[in-house]
Amino acid sequence: MDHHRNARRMRAIVRRHGPTAPMWRRRIAFLGGAIVIGLVALAFAIAADWAAGQFASITARAWWLPVLLTPAGFALFAWATRRFAPDAIGSGIPQVMAATRNPEAAMASLTAARTVLLKLALTVGAVLVGASTGREGPTVQVAASIMGYAHRFARVRLRASAYIAGGAAGVAAAFNTPLAGVAFAIEELAAAYEQRMAVLVMAAVLIAGMTSLGIAGDYVYFGAMRSTLPLAQAILAAPVAGVVGGLAGALFARAMLAAGGSGWRPLVAMRRHTLAYAAGCGLVVALIGVASGLTWGTGYDAARTAITGGAIPWWYAPAKFVATLATAVAGIPGGIFAPSLSVGAGVGDLIRPLFPTAPGGTIVLLGMVAYFTGVVRAPLTAVIIIAETTASRGLMLPLLAAALIADFTAQRVSRERLYHGLSQRFGTTQVQHESDDRGNGSGVRA
């Protein structure tokens, strides 16, 4: 009798704690998914850089060609998105937020393989035709999907924490910023955060970042910026940057939210004609790009020039603002993370003459963190992203001050946070999405 009781007890222990136990399968899903996320994020970055290079070659050979190519590409990609994967629209961060509300149902569309595969292809396509867009937001949705399928493969229950870990790991791998990935998980995706999964979430973030870093090598996204800002100058510069950047970022967020939900009749009428609307947005992007030569793609080169003390035109910030907004509301896949940082660099460059004795790059970084905070309303994430992508840890306190002031300013202009507002437009089933889509007309992205 005792022998049989002991045998049953041992079998129970093995089922609960052995290598096939749910606890271990869940850990394998998190860690294995994180490795795949790092690899996919790196491949996505390479593809996006290739597309940007191809577009640069096109404009070098025929400066006028984007006037035709960009509107046509916008219309084509908007049609393909609506026809084949409506939940691939935009950056994907709102979709991941919506997915955490019903993780299992989200696998039918929001994080389905078809959705994210098309997202990858069309985002690269958008870069190829000159859209003012980035890959970081799409990486978040793709990464969340990978984590969802990893849990299915391991036959463990899919929880909101899987999407949170996947999305945060995507941010870490896209920017090579592990700390920013953790901050993003807490600040933006934490509405469904399961505290008991915190260790696995952070482990997934770090492993995805290390996987990408191990292949791509150690690098600082915008290059190292070691200058610091004296206290007397920081006390003046941080509030100015915070107010100006926060106001500009909040205007962008409010315009995006209005573009998809406004009842203004002319805008509603334009949204009914999806392809013409997308082509019109593409034409705006093309005309600004052809006239300026600077507003295509992520805006990385202009941002880095400003950070390192180089000269960019005074009109860069407003031009990039409009190009990014036109891309963002066109209804095609793509993100606003990198373009927003570039607009923020332009904002910082605009206020730099007010502080002629300050190291120029420091004021630019204050503008970047303030504008980015105004757009996404995530000051901690903004500060850590800027600090990690520029190795400017000596500016942490001024950056934090500017971000907090920007967040306060942005609340006065746009009470609804951008990603949270957009996430309400996504259901966790295709039926729900189609209902929402009929009500909203054209979609907007983040």
Side-chain angles (χ1 to χ4, degrees), residues 25-38 40 96 103-104 107 111-112 116 139-170 197 200-208:
R25 294 204 309 272
R26 185 176 298 279
R27 290 178 179 178
I28 291 171
F30 268 99
L31 302 183
I35 293 172
V36 176
I37 288 169
V40 171
V96 175
E104 289 290 349
M107 294 295 290
T111 56
V116 298
T139 304
V140 171
Q141 186 177 8
V142 173
S145 175
I146 291 171
M147 197 62 79
Y149 280 101
H151 277 64
R152 281 198 170 181
F153 180 78
R155 301 194 311 278
V156 291
R157 180 186 173 190
L158 183 58
R159 296 173 177 169
S161 57
Y163 292 140
I164 294 168
M197 303 302 294
L200 288 179
V201 169
M202 286 188 282
V205 169
L206 295 174
I207 289 172

Side-chain angles (χ1 to χ4, degrees), residues 222 237-239 241-247 249 307 340-348 351 361-390 392 395-407 410:
F222 283 115
V243 171
V244 175
L247 178 63
I307 291 170
S340 292
L341 293 175
S342 186
V343 175
V347 171
I351 63 176
T362 61
I363 306 300
V364 170
L365 294 188
L366 293 180
M368 290 175 71
V369 77
Y371 180 82
F372 188 78
T373 298
V375 173
V376 303
R377 300 280 297 284
L380 181 60
T381 300
V383 170
I384 296 175
I385 282 180
I386 297 300
E388 288 192 291
T389 56
T390 61
S392 55
L395 284 173
M396 288 290 283
L397 289 180
L399 290 173
L400 182 59
L404 292 176
I405 293 169
D407 189 42

